[in-house]
Amino acid sequence: MKQSLLKNGLYNTAAGIIRIGLALLTIPVLIRLLGVEEYGLWTLAMTVIVIVTLAESGLSLATTMFVSQDLERNDVAGLSQTLTITGGAMLVLSVLAGAFLWAFAPQIVGGFAKLQLFQQVIAIEALKLGAIVVWARLIQQVLVGVEQACQRYDLTNGITTIQAFALNIGMLIVVFTGGKTLALMQWQICVAVGGLLCHCWINWWLLKKFPLHINWNPQRGVEIFRYSMMSWLTAMGGVLFAQMDKVIVGSALGTTELGIYAAITNVTNQINVLSALPVQPMMPALSALAASEFDPNQAEERVKQAYLVNSFFALGIGCVLLTVAPFLLKLLLGNEPSATVLLSFRIAVLAYSLYSVNAVGFYLCLGLNAARTCMTIQVGGSILALGLIWMGTERLGLLGAMLGNLGFAVTWLMNVYGCRLLKIPGLKWLQWLGVPLVVTVTIFGVGIIDGDPIVKLSLMSGLSIGLFGWYVFHQFATLKSLYTKLQYSFSNKVN
């Protein structure tokens, strides 16, 4: 288990770094070529598409969990039942979701009172094109679930990385040649359909050795439905927080302020994405173990390692972004950031860094059949954060919206519950991460106080380097083991 988690975590992390790097390089160029207002319109269209993909209804996670259990038991009949139910349900849902977006695009756009008439026309056409993107992305999710259940994170990440290259490079070409929101959406369609075809081929290759057939089992259908609904509500909580905040800001402040908000949160959201990738393989691994035997006495050290890896990316990246905030914002927005924008960015970095430490608890809950608890915490956190963002936007504008993001840190409760499922004291993870959390908050405090910029930069840089050293010290054995495995793998390939 340890080796496969390490290997799959490496695949996820490496691919995630590449995709995030591409996004960070692309966003500033898009903003400069499109302008903040047009970029805000593009962000609004893509936000609606992401929200509509909530029709996925947890079937991707259900596919990963049930297929991994079927493979562990070598249950071909059960595998046929799982794929019949999840695949058939997703085909229906993808068609319905795409049709909904196409039919109700005018009504959806009409809800944004700040849009000018010509912007509304463009947004409606973009959403109608986006219906195809929704259809392709939804079907792809079940296929990805199968790949993860088969522990082929290398293939999944290979395809998604190629998609990221194609998407970002294509978007730059589109914008350089004068294309705007509609042309960008057309390119989204090309990439989404191409990725879907690739995942179809990978699934056929992985499953061709099994004599699969259509096999409907009502009892299995009820089990998958229950788990899917809990997973769906959990995912909805995360997507609501990650996307509905832009809807709130866009409705209250207009596309220009939304463009700035989206540029900042698109960067800070990468903290959450990247920090979750190394620990994501925990879920199918735990699901497979739950189907056989699981010794809770051996869990604590593995979970501690997972928390250290998760927090290394969540808090480590956060500290770096807090340190280089003025330079990064100037690069991102193309001009010297105002004091309000700089403070807003630092608050967003702190909020995303802190709440991203929930990844281990999230996957522990899902992998150990505690989807209902996970859903309750996730949705509750989203509602709290969105309420704070709405109130903050109304009273303090952009700065208030960023402060509201701190409310999602309530999802730390997943860490407490997930640890208890493995008979680990609920707050033990806080002891493991005490030093990184204190250092992160300290760097934030140094950044927002008045003082000599050189002195502040030196102090923040020193703290960041010290935190990196702390992680290396505590993970030295793991790093040494990883180096040995990579060296052995490389020598085998050469020979």
Side-chain angles (χ1 to χ4, degrees):
M1 176 183 173
K2 183 177 179 179
Q3 291 184 0
S4 66
L5 287 178
L6 183 63
K7 179 179 68 175
N8 292 331
L10 277 174
Y11 288 138
N12 272 2
T13 304
I17 291 173
I18 293 172
R19 295 196 298 269
I20 289 169
L22 286 170
L24 293 179
L25 291 173
T26 303
I27 290 171
V29 180
L30 289 177
I31 292 174
R32 293 183 185 185
L33 294 176
L34 289 173
V36 174
E37 189 171 356
E38 183 72 21
Y39 181 75
L41 184 62
W42 165 247
T43 299
L44 196 61
M46 288 306 300
T47 298
V48 173
I49 286 174
V50 172
I51 292 173
V52 173
T53 55
L54 277 173
E56 186 258 350
S57 96
L59 284 170
S60 176
L61 287 173
T63 302
T64 299
M65 178 174 175
F66 284 89
V67 169
S68 63
Q69 292 180 353
D70 293 333
L71 293 175
E72 178 70 20
R73 301 187 186 103
N74 197 26
D75 184 0
V76 177
L79 182 60
S80 295
Q81 293 168 5
T82 298
L83 295 178
T84 298
I85 295 164
T86 58
M90 188 59 83
L91 280 173
V92 174
L93 284 172
S94 63
V95 172
L96 292 176
F100 170 84
L101 183 59
W102 187 88
F104 290 95
Q107 288 79 5
I108 294 172
V109 173
F112 299 98
K114 293 284 185 177
L115 293 181
Q116 301 178 36
L117 181 59
F118 79 93
Q119 291 178 319
Q120 291 182 5
V121 173
I122 294 172
I124 290 171
E125 292 302 316
L127 292 184
K128 287 186 176 182
L129 290 172
I132 302 175
V133 178
V134 168
W135 171 81
R137 285 187 176 184
L138 288 177
I139 297 177
Q140 181 175 303
Q141 290 306 305
V142 164
L143 303 178
V144 169
V146 173
E147 294 161 11
Q148 292 178 345
C150 294
Q151 298 291 323
R152 295 310 305 262
Y153 284 80
D154 53 341
L155 299 176
T156 300
N157 284 295
I159 295 174
T160 53
T161 302
I162 292 172
Q163 281 185 276
F165 269 105
L167 180 61
N168 286 279
I169 293 174
M171 288 172 67
L172 292 178
I173 294 173
V174 168
V175 175
F176 270 119
T177 55
K180 294 191 176 182
T181 298
L182 292 180
L184 288 172
M185 191 62 73
Q186 290 168 352
W187 182 244
Q188 283 275 349
I189 293 173
C190 295
V191 175
V193 173
L196 174 61
L197 294 175
C198 291
H199 284 290
C200 286
W201 184 85
I202 292 296
N203 269 245
W204 172 81
W205 181 74
L206 289 173
L207 300 175
K208 64 180 180 179
K209 60 184 177 182
F210 298 105
L212 300 175
H213 56 280
I214 296 176
N215 188 351
W216 170 257
N217 184 311
Q219 183 177 355
R220 173 60 65 93
V222 171
E223 293 176 6
I224 292 176
F225 173 77
R226 287 176 177 171
Y227 186 88
S228 295
M229 288 303 297
M230 292 299 104
S231 301
W232 175 64
L233 291 171
T234 301
M236 185 177 70
V239 174
L240 281 176
F241 171 66
Q243 302 299 329
M244 284 300 294
D245 60 336
K246 298 180 180 66
V247 175
I248 293 171
V249 173
S251 298
L253 303 179
T255 55
T256 300
E257 290 293 305
L258 173 60
I260 297 173
Y261 180 88
I264 291 174
T265 54
N266 283 344
V267 171
T268 55
N269 186 55
Q270 306 311 316
I271 299 172
N272 178 249
V273 173
L274 185 56
S275 62
L277 290 174
V279 296
Q280 184 190 24
M282 289 181 68
M283 201 200 83
L286 288 172
S287 297
L289 286 175
S292 52
E293 294 181 1
F294 187 81
D295 184 1
N297 295 323
Q298 299 177 358
E300 184 168 326
E301 187 60 31
R302 301 285 172 81
V303 172
K304 180 180 179 180
Q305 289 181 356
Y307 271 107
L308 289 175
V309 171
N310 172 224
S311 65
F312 171 77
F313 287 98
L315 302 179
I317 296 174
C319 289
V320 172
L321 292 180
L322 288 170
T323 302
V324 303
F327 313 103
L328 182 59
L329 275 178
K330 186 175 181 180
L331 175 66
L332 188 65
L333 301 176
N335 49 47
E336 199 71 36
S338 66
T340 299
V341 171
L342 181 58
L343 179 57
S344 297
F345 179 78
R346 284 190 164 128
I347 292 172
V349 171
L350 181 67
Y352 277 81
S353 296
L354 292 179
Y355 98 74
S356 295
V357 180
N358 69 9
V360 177
F362 176 81
Y363 288 117
L364 283 174
C365 289
L366 289 183
L368 297 173
N369 296 318
R372 178 175 296 180
T373 301
C374 189
M375 176 271 296
T376 302
I377 297 172
Q378 187 94 327
V379 173
S382 294
I383 294 173
L384 174 63
L386 290 174
L388 293 174
I389 290 171
W390 175 75
M391 288 189 292
T393 302
E394 292 293 326
R395 297 182 181 184
L396 298 173
L398 180 64
L399 185 60
M402 294 304 182
L403 286 169
N405 282 268
L406 289 166
F408 202 62
V410 74
T411 54
W412 276 7
L413 289 172
M414 288 188 286
N415 292 333
V416 176
Y417 192 80
C419 285
R420 287 178 178 175
L421 289 174
L422 294 177
K423 311 301 181 184
I424 300 171
L427 296 179
K428 191 69 174 286
W429 62 278
L430 272 177
Q431 299 176 23
W432 298 332
L433 305 183
V435 171
L437 287 169
V438 170
V439 171
T440 302
V441 175
T442 302
I443 291 176
F444 172 78
V446 172
I448 65 174
I449 62 175
D450 291 330
D452 184 86
I454 302 300
V455 174
K456 289 170 58 176
L457 179 62
S458 300
L459 181 57
M460 295 165 77
S461 299
L463 288 169
S464 297
I465 294 171
L467 180 60
F468 177 78
W470 184 89
Y471 275 109
V472 171
F473 175 77
H474 282 271
Q475 288 287 77
F476 180 77
T478 301
L479 292 172
K480 184 178 180 180
S481 173
L482 174 60
Y483 174 76
T484 303
K485 287 183 175 69
L486 291 175
Q487 191 177 43
Y488 177 76
S489 176
F490 178 76
S491 62
N492 282 347
K493 290 181 180 179
V494 172
N495 297 329

